[in-house]
């Protein structure tokens, strides 16, 4: 804007100077030929400045238009972000109250038999599937399953993992008859291949998350394997689903 103001002031100064020269021509009727040429040259110069002024105004208008479009786009992005904030998918955890899927959940502390301080055992959780990963799943695998439905299944698997290892990390003396039977089953299902790894079996999914082990869920397991969220291993008449 300062450029336009400077050009405008300069044009006004030149016009004022031209008018003063014309006023003097009234006093001196016969201007020398050289002065007339200067007047013509001055008029042409002012005309050139005026055209430059018009071009500068056009440039400023284009810049103003671009800024207005930018403001409109920025406001739209702000509204989109607010919409995302107000409509967080149900499977996404509350950051203030729940850990993110990339974090491990501390299980129950278990007192050491030697009297050492209690240690928190970290329970591995399955990460939620990203939208990009979901879009890359072959259509024949997805069928009509939606992105939210797939991550709802991830959340239910994590519930089963948390429920199982909450029991295994407790002292057997603190368990009641029902949880003691579960505890014993969990230990019976462990092998040398499961040491240091977190897994669940079909009974855990039914016990802690009420997942229906139907054809639809089998398809979900295939998608989770495709996304490298779990790996299954069969042995001893059961299938173990390892969290990756």
């Amino acid at each position: 804007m300062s450029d336009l103001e400077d050009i405008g002031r300069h044009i006004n100064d030149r016009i004022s100077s031209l008018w003063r020269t014309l006023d003097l021509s009234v006093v001196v009727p016969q201007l020398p030929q050289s002065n007339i040429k200067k007047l013509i040259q001055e008029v042409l110069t002012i005309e050139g400045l005026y055209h430059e002024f018009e071009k500068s105004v056009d440039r400023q208008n284009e810049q103003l238009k671009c800024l207005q479009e930018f403001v409109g786009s920025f406001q739209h992005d702000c509204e989109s972000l607010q919409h995302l904030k107000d409509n967080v998918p149900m499977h996404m955890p509350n950051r203030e109250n729940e850990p993110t899927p990339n974090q491990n959940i501390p299980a129950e502390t278990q007192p050491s038999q030697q009297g050492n301080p209690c240690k928190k055992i970290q329970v591995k959780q399955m990460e939620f599937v990203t939208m990009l990963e979901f879009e890359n799943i072959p259509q024949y695998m997805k069928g009509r399953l939606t992105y939210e439905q797939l991550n709802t299944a991830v959340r239910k698997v994590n519930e089963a993992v948390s429920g199982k290892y909450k029991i295994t990390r407790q002292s057997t003396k603190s368990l009641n008859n029902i949880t003691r039977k579960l505890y014993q089953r969990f230990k019976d299902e462990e092998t040398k291949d499961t040491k240091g790894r977190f897994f669940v079996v079909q009974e855990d999914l039914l016990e802690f998350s009420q997942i229906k082990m139907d054809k639809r869920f089998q398809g979900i397991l295939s998608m989770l394997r495709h996304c490298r969220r779990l790996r299954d291993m069969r042995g001893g008449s059961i299938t173990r689903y390892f969290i990756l």
Side-chain angles (χ1 to χ4, degrees):
M1 185 60 70
S2 60
D3 292 339
L4 289 177
E5 292 174 350
D6 292 340
I7 295 174
R9 281 195 296 268
H10 184 64
I11 292 175
N12 287 332
D13 291 342
R14 300 293 287 267
I15 292 175
S16 297
S17 177
L18 182 60
W19 276 114
R20 285 194 297 271
T21 303
L22 292 175
D23 289 340
L24 288 174
S25 68
V26 177
V27 180
V28 184
Q30 296 296 328
L31 285 175
Q33 189 67 26
S34 59
N35 287 354
I36 293 176
K37 290 182 179 180
K38 288 181 179 179
L39 286 174
I40 295 174
Q41 185 63 40
E42 186 68 15
V43 171
L44 293 175
T45 301
I46 292 174
E47 184 182 16
L49 289 172
Y50 177 75
H51 290 318
E52 288 296 326
F53 183 79
E54 283 187 326
K55 291 179 181 178
S56 183
V57 170
D58 290 339
R59 288 194 296 269
Q60 294 287 351
N61 285 334
E62 285 296 324
Q63 292 178 3
L64 178 60
K65 183 179 178 181
C66 290
L67 288 173
Q68 289 173 339
E69 291 177 353
F70 174 78
V71 170
S73 176
F74 180 76
Q75 290 176 341
H76 176 72
D77 290 341
C78 289
E79 292 173 358
S80 298
L81 287 173
Q82 186 62 44
H83 177 75
L84 290 173
K85 181 180 178 181
D86 296 338
N87 296 274
V88 178
M90 293 298 296
H91 66 265
M92 297 300 292
N94 184 338
R95 292 185 178 181
E96 295 181 358
N97 300 321
E98 300 181 40
T100 64
N102 295 328
Q103 293 177 329
N104 292 329
I105 299 179
E108 295 293 323
T109 56
Q110 181 179 6
S112 170
Q113 295 180 354
Q114 286 76 23
N116 294 329
C118 296
K119 290 184 178 181
K120 286 187 177 181
I121 307 300
Q122 301 299 319
V123 176
K124 187 176 181 63
Q125 292 279 285
M126 184 185 299
E127 296 181 4
F128 288 118
V129 177
T130 66
M131 179 58 75
L132 180 60
E133 289 174 316
F134 180 76
E135 291 175 349
N136 288 331
I137 297 174
Q139 186 59 44
Y140 75 87
M141 281 190 182
K142 288 188 292 189
R144 296 183 179 180
L145 192 79
T146 66
Y147 173 70
E148 288 195 357
Q149 288 173 334
L150 178 58
N151 276 319
T152 297
V154 172
R155 178 172 54 81
K156 288 184 175 295
V157 171
N158 284 336
E159 289 175 359
V161 174
S162 298
K164 171 184 176 178
Y165 286 96
K166 181 178 180 180
I167 293 176
T168 61
R169 297 305 189 251
Q170 293 182 25
S171 170
T172 54
K173 294 181 180 180
S174 64
L175 301 177
N176 57 33
N177 290 335
I178 296 176
T179 53
R180 188 175 289 109
K181 290 180 180 179
L182 290 173
Y183 179 90
Q184 188 58 51
R185 176 171 67 80
F186 299 153
K187 292 301 180 181
D188 292 341
E189 292 167 349
E190 292 180 356
T191 66
K192 62 178 182 179
D193 295 322
T194 65
K195 186 176 182 180
R197 304 168 69 184
F198 295 89
F199 70 95
V200 290
V201 299
Q202 178 175 329
E203 289 186 58
D204 302 330
L205 297 172
L206 294 172
E207 177 73 30
F208 298 104
S209 58
Q210 290 78 49
I211 292 178
K212 294 181 179 179
M213 303 299 293
D214 53 13
K215 183 177 179 181
R216 179 173 177 270
F217 186 70
Q218 294 301 323
I220 290 175
L221 292 177
S222 296
M223 285 185 277
L224 293 178
R225 284 193 292 269
H226 176 82
C227 294
R228 298 183 180 180
R229 291 299 189 274
L230 60 77
R231 184 171 68 86
D232 54 74
M233 183 175 67
R234 293 173 176 80
S237 74
I238 60 174
T239 300
R240 299 169 179 81
Y241 300 102
F242 290 92
I243 308 301
L244 300 180

